[in-house]
Amino acid sequence: MASRVESDEDGDNKGSMWDLDQKLDQPMDEEAGRLKNMYREKKFSSLLLLRLAFQSLGVVYGDLGTSPLYVFYNTFPHGVKDPEDVIGALSLIIYSLTLVPLLKYVFVVLRANDNGQGGTFALYSLLCRHAKIKTIQNQHRTDEELTTYSRSTFHEKSFAAKTKRWLEEQATRRSAILILVLVGTCMVIGDGILTPAISVLSAAGGIKVNKPHMSNGVVVLVAVVILVGFFSMQHYGTDRVSWLFAPIVLLWFLLIGGIGIFNIWKHGSSVLKAFSPVYIYHYFKRGGQGGWTSLGGIMLSITGTEALFADLAHFPVSAVQIAFTLIVFPCLLLAYSGQAAYLMNNLDHSQDAFYRSIPDRIYWPVFVVATAAAIVASQATITATFSIIKQALAHGCFPRVKVVYTSKKFLGQIYVPDINWILMILCISVTAGFENQNQIGNAYGTAVVIVMLVTTFLMILIMILVWRCHWILVLIFTGLSLIVELTYFSSVLFKIDQGGWVPLVIAGAFLVIMYVWHYGTVKRYEFEMHSKVSMAWILGLGPSLGLVRVPGIGLVYTELASGVPHIFSHFITNLPAIHSVVVFVCVKYLPVYTVPEEERFLVKRIGPKNFHMFRCVARYGYKDLHKKDESFEKKLFDNLFMFVRLESMMEGCSDSDEYSLCGPQTVQSIDGMLNNNGNTKTASSNMDFSVSSLDSIEPAKSPPHVKSSGQRSNQTEVDELEFLNNNRDAGVVHILGNTVVRARRDSRFYKKIAVDYIYAFLRKICRENSVIFNVPHESLLNVGQIFYV
């Protein structure tokens, strides 16, 4: 029955247990009416799916749909010598579209989404949940109890279990997977630079076709003006203009499909014999090395396929599949076939095949739609770039930058100002710096094929560890994918010196930044882990901690989910005074797309009650809206107070270390106790109370018991809550660590450059922790320390 539980637009739950109980009481003569209503619901779901498929056109397929603007020009930059070459090229395009976007991505890769999230880091998050390959080992068993932490178990002797153990054995293998993910991420960023450049420049080139006397510099200037306006509008977000995207792209596909049919009818249907793969063999036999290198241009017909996966977040997989099979795929085949039919009769028009094949009466309307479609295609890749940057931030693989949420309805629609302006500068430099779009096409093809190879290698692990496919299926998928992609890769290698070096340089720069930042993040976490203070030392200080306890609450931010951070001992050693209440706050990201609000906070006490020390762990997913503002602080204290309320009702809580888990395992007895004691239940009362050891987060194995002396418990609760409120009114101070990482004197020169210069520079220009946590200067206390690696 669970599969029938779904929400309509009014928020009513169809198929709920309450409705089921009501239906069981209905007489049998109402059964026909009930079946009729079920049919209507199914029909409504189908219409909703079609509507989502229509909307996905504007977000997902803009990049793939604008490829006909420049494919034949990049395939035959010096013109076509033989009409049979056009047939061979068209045959290659047909089977490339069939094998890569259709079979590989639409029907296989899209199924590897992480609860609807796509992209390189989504695959990495899936792998991190099924194998311990995350380089920052900050996960705990309690994290696996999250409702969004879906994973499967292995049989000890299965191939998946052996692969898992092999990956976990050595740190170098975990690092290799991370580097592979970072390479794919950097190439997606390269796509975000090259897609607007080639799409807008190709669309603007239509002016020169109709006005032959116009210089190429004017076309470049028009493209640059469009790009500046495009990037300047990014801060408004896509939500305000996205309602235009789908109609524009649908109109674009219908136009190129219709123009294709017109050209096939006008110039002959002999091009349709390209559906026979025999012409691919003849194409390579006749063209030799030239035919092989032309694959770099043919591969541009499948650009945008990776964006198809990265922009999956807002649409169900079935909607994306319907849009591709019903609209995108047939219209692209017609568009390329029509251009090929035109080229067979006009061999010298390969440079402007798309615009020259347009009927004169609709030339300017198609030009306007083409320009709009190019902008939509650019928006898709820019949005994917912003999303993947945020995912990299969550995994500790990118310097801290500002992330702005442009939509209240869709958390996936974000804007990263710093990255936006960097992309704009690089995009304009590429557009104005290259002599023609052929070189941009070479660069574009290099970036795309490397991203596809990365996805293939990650999919091999997904099929083994997550799907647990038979090794024969894994072998078939790997073989078919690598045959196509390595063939294209070998082709783009011939064009490294003709523009293909651009994405390699861009990706190399971003890879150095991301890897060095991640290396520094890992080393800082390891330093905190190895230098954390033992609980025995804290207990040895006594109730007053051997210090002056001043009124107020001190929030000590740390990356540790257990133990006392070194900055605390460093602080009290140099300044023997601390606040009356100390809360160690740990904010960490998990390899999940989101953490439900009711499961976000973990609270426990550190030491005996009279120490007034607590720990709060806030857990986030890589798609979560994470704002360290007054709302975060309020939620933190709400959960802390709820912990104290629940703790007073539990047995043996006076001098032990408890953990309160906000999770789905709601304990009904606690709710009853809250009602029986006259306390009002709040939204935060969905808490599973569990008892742990001195400083661990192991949940209790036995259920808690209610104290016999309820009156004394209530009095204790009131006293501590009053104590906490008084200290909160006295002031909250945020204590942040400022750990400086430096290379040792005996380190190798490249390590010194990476740590002392690159990482130090990135730390200097990135956002401060105090800015991210939105801490007022008057409430901020930085504790500095130096760590040598």
Side-chain angles (χ1 to χ4, degrees), residues 17-18 104 106 133 173 175 187 213 295-296 324 354 438 475-476 478 510 521 591 600 607 709 722 727 767 789:
M17 293 302 298
W18 186 87
K104 178 186 174 182
V106 172
I133 60 173
R173 293 166 187 166
S175 299
M187 288 299 171
H213 62 280
L295 285 175
F324 187 85
F354 173 77
N438 184 37
L475 194 62
I476 292 173
T478 306
F510 276 98
T521 303
R600 179 152 296 160
S709 55
E722 184 178 357
N727 280 280
R767 304 184 82 204
V789 296

Side-chain angles (χ1 to χ4, degrees), residues 428-450:
I428 292 175
S429 301
V430 169
T431 304
F434 281 120
E435 297 178 357
N436 52 52
Q437 43 176 294
N438 184 37
Q439 291 184 331
I440 302 179
N442 295 337
Y444 194 18
T446 304
V448 170
V449 71
I450 293 177

